[in-house]
Amino acid sequence: MSVPFHMSRTSISRHVMATCQVIWDVLHPLELPTPTAEQWRMIAKRFGDLWDYPFAIGALDGKHIALQNPANSGSMYYNYKGYPSAVLMALSDADSCFILVDCGQYGRISDAGVYISRISTLLEEKQLDNPTATFKISGSDIDIPFMIIGDEAFPLKPYLMKPFAARTLNAKRRLYNYRHSRARRAVECAFGIMSRKFEVFQRPMRVQPDKAVLLTNAAVCLHNFIRRRDGNLVDSSSTVTYEVMENRGDGMQPLAINARGGRATDEAIAIRDGIADFFSVPDGSVHWQNKLVFRHVLRPDGE
């Protein structure tokens, strides 16, 4: 940018960071406000309408934001793939807009590590005003609460569901995993849209971690701003190319699945089993789920 604007790189960098700070200060309370109980219920309704998972109030996941050699950090930012990164943990709604973000943890920390350190505190201490009402479902006496959904890296909690382990799958659990993963796609889409919209995420950031966090936070606010006003338009990808940097990763990368959240409580296990039962009966199933989930399963006649 220094050539077309006839400014030095130092001045451009200073203006970019100042602009990102203003974007965060102004848009953060507007585009990332803490939802009220009624807004959480509206988010759950959207998950039911779009993703057929009416109990969810958010989809949770994390990504590595690739960095280039942070100064004086030792190995703290080096992740399991061998390149330095900062962790972006985010909770998304059904329309792939971010609800809650936590950026800046060391790259060596897994999904569950970031969750346990910060986000779980907000949920367990009820600082997010998440609704306390429960659902009654067909064929079960279990009260199903509003919950967030994550991948297998997270601990199983009454308010946090994750898929069944692959070694324990049967027909009913396969159906649950499909419905769960389908709803969790919302947060994956949010990361994908943001990384394609802002090309700073398509290569390692050549800034120190504190500035990378500021850039990421500003991009999150702009992502929500654009999605809510221009979300239905086709997102044209850029033709800009960058040099290849070996062993540095490509912008956003998934986090490691190497953490253990401890043994799940009986309540959490019962809730997940109850939802799995509900997704298998006519009141909770969708007509195309069996065809998609079992399309590779051989029939008795071998066809």
Side-chain angles (χ1 to χ4, degrees):
M1 294 175 65
S2 62
V3 174
F5 286 96
H6 301 286
M7 300 176 68
S8 67
R9 288 190 175 188
T10 302
S11 297
I12 290 291
S13 176
R14 188 163 55 245
H15 290 310
V16 167
M17 291 303 158
T19 302
C20 288
Q21 186 65 58
V22 172
I23 289 172
W24 174 251
D25 292 341
V26 173
L27 291 185
H28 176 229
L30 301 176
E31 299 299 332
L32 284 167
T34 301
T36 63
E38 182 59 30
Q39 289 172 333
W40 283 121
R41 291 187 179 91
M42 293 301 298
I43 292 171
K45 184 178 184 301
R46 288 292 290 170
F47 267 103
D49 294 341
L50 294 180
W51 304 110
D52 301 300
Y53 202 113
F55 318 111
I57 57 173
L60 184 67
D61 199 12
K63 294 292 182 182
H64 286 289
I65 306 299
L67 306 174
Q68 184 179 17
N69 300 328
N72 304 317
S73 62
S75 62
M76 293 301 295
Y77 283 98
Y78 276 82
N79 58 45
Y80 71 108
K81 289 190 174 181
Y83 63 87
S85 65
V87 174
L88 169 62
M89 183 67 63
L91 184 69
S92 164
D93 66 15
D95 295 292
S96 297
C97 290
F98 294 111
I99 303 171
L100 177 69
V101 294
D102 179 7
C103 184
Q105 291 281 355
Y106 297 123
R108 65 187 300 175
I109 299 178
S110 67
D111 274 19
V114 179
Y115 166 78
I116 293 170
S117 64
R118 292 188 181 182
I119 298 179
S120 64
T121 302
L122 297 176
L123 289 168
E124 292 178 358
E125 296 182 359
K126 301 186 183 302
Q127 298 180 20
L128 296 177
D129 197 23
N130 41 310
T132 58
T134 57
F135 294 87
K136 288 291 186 181
I137 57 177
S138 301
S140 176
D141 296 330
I142 300 172
D143 293 331
I144 306 297
F146 288 96
M147 63 192 65
I148 60 177
I149 50 179
D151 61 20
E152 56 268 32
F154 296 103
L156 181 64
K157 302 282 187 180
Y159 54 82
L160 174 59
M161 291 290 107
K162 71 175 187 177
F164 288 98
R167 65 181 181 276
T168 68
L169 291 181
N170 53 29
K172 182 172 64 178
R173 292 182 175 186
R174 286 181 187 276
L175 287 173
Y176 173 83
N177 279 7
Y178 169 72
R179 296 280 291 273
H180 180 104
S181 299
R182 184 171 181 271
R184 204 184 65 81
R185 191 186 306 168
V187 69
E188 296 286 356
C189 290
F191 286 129
I193 293 168
M194 186 173 73
S195 65
R196 293 297 294 175
K197 180 75 71 175
F198 304 106
E199 293 188 0
V200 68
F201 296 112
Q202 297 182 23
R203 58 171 178 160
M205 292 189 185
R206 299 179 179 179
V207 295
Q208 291 305 306
D210 59 332
K211 293 183 178 180
V213 170
L214 180 57
L215 288 169
T216 302
N217 287 339
V220 165
C221 290
L222 290 175
H223 166 85
N224 282 6
F225 183 89
I226 295 169
R227 285 289 295 168
R228 288 167 178 154
R229 292 160 181 81
D230 196 27
N232 294 325
L233 300 181
V234 176
D235 183 17
S236 59
S237 58
S238 174
T239 58
V240 177
T241 57
Y242 297 99
E243 68 274 23
V244 176
M245 303 183 68
E246 297 181 357
N247 300 323
R248 290 291 187 269
D250 297 319
M252 286 189 179
Q253 293 291 327
L255 272 67
I257 303 175
N258 58 6
R260 297 292 182 269
R263 186 180 184 279
T265 63
D266 292 338
E267 180 186 6
I269 294 172
I271 289 173
R272 186 172 62 175
D273 288 340
I275 298 174
D277 291 337
F278 177 67
F279 286 163
S280 301
V281 300
D283 287 346
S285 64
V286 289
H287 66 88
W288 35 260
Q289 65 182 22
N290 288 343
K291 181 179 179 181
L292 290 177
V293 173
F294 303 115
R295 62 187 182 276
H296 298 305
V297 177
L298 292 176
R299 297 178 182 176
D301 57 3
E303 296 181 0

